[in-house]
Amino acid sequence: MVVLGKRYARVALMTLVGVLFVFQNIAASSLVWGALSPADPEFQRQTHLPQINVPDAWNLTWGSSDVIVAVIDSGIDITNPDLVGNIWVNADEISNNGIDDDRNGYIDDVTGWDFVTKSNDPQPKFEPGWTEIGVNHGTIVAGILAARGGNDLGVAGVAWRVSLMPLRVLNGAGVGDTFG
């Protein structure tokens, strides 16, 4: 493990392949290099994360709830324990009052929108013709993106702290029209 003081961090980061920008306002007093290994039971099976150097990146950031990532797929299980803390909440909408409080054209879209059923429930649906991968695909994608790491549950996502906005455009079989 190498510890880099603030004044050397920018120079060191700029020498890494693929780094285009380094911002000066790094909040940490030092950067610690060495792969972080979360305590999630399935982490050791997530061989794709080390292949793309994600554990090293976690030493710099786990993401931020200010970053909203829309998952445009078959819906997200917003009650999944590894995802529930990262589900985006529309602060401009009042839940279940039947009014489009934020005037965006979608009534009570507090945690996303279901474009298939045109409702405010963006969770996967077990509709006629559903398939295992079709109904679960959006939740799987959300987990790869943002499952909470270090919580002793399931897996660790790439960005543990981003906000996930579920937008359901595919039915339970994974079929749909993304053009509206």
Side-chain angles (χ1 to χ4, degrees):
M1 182 180 303
V2 177
V3 178
L4 300 173
K6 272 187 188 178
R7 64 185 205 163
Y8 299 108
R10 182 182 170 105
V11 173
L13 289 172
M14 289 302 294
T15 64
L16 297 175
V17 175
V19 173
L20 300 177
F21 301 101
V22 177
F23 296 96
Q24 289 287 17
N25 63 347
I26 296 173
S29 61
S30 64
L31 298 176
V32 179
W33 288 86
L36 178 67
S37 183
D40 301 282
E42 297 297 321
F43 172 70
Q44 297 305 321
R45 295 180 58 197
Q46 293 183 272
T47 57
H48 60 284
L49 295 176
Q51 289 173 355
I52 59 172
N53 299 317
V54 170
D56 289 324
W58 288 333
N59 287 312
L60 299 175
T61 184
W62 296 338
S64 166
S65 61
D66 293 333
V67 175
I68 301 167
V69 180
V71 178
I72 305 169
D73 208 298
S74 62
I76 297 175
D77 177 0
I78 62 175
T79 65
N80 180 300
D82 249 355
L83 300 174
V84 70
N86 288 353
I87 300 299
W88 167 81
V89 174
N90 183 352
D92 295 327
E93 196 69 55
I94 298 169
S95 183
N96 298 318
N97 69 354
I99 298 170
D100 181 15
D101 300 294
D102 61 2
R103 299 183 186 149
N104 67 356
Y106 305 102
I107 296 170
D108 294 336
D109 58 322
V110 175
T111 57
W113 192 256
D114 183 336
F115 290 91
V116 177
T117 64
K118 297 176 181 29
S119 75
N120 62 359
D121 178 11
Q123 297 201 86
K125 310 288 188 297
F126 293 93
E127 303 146 320
W130 70 273
T131 63
E132 191 76 27
I133 191 63
V135 80
N136 289 306
H137 194 267
T139 302
I140 293 167
V141 169
I144 292 168
L145 287 168
R148 283 279 172 135
N151 63 357
D152 296 319
L153 297 172
V155 298
V158 172
W160 304 352
R161 298 293 185 252
V162 298
S163 296
L164 295 167
M165 178 192 292
L167 299 176
R168 183 172 181 257
V169 299
L170 305 176
N171 65 18
V175 177
D177 179 5
T178 58
F179 297 105

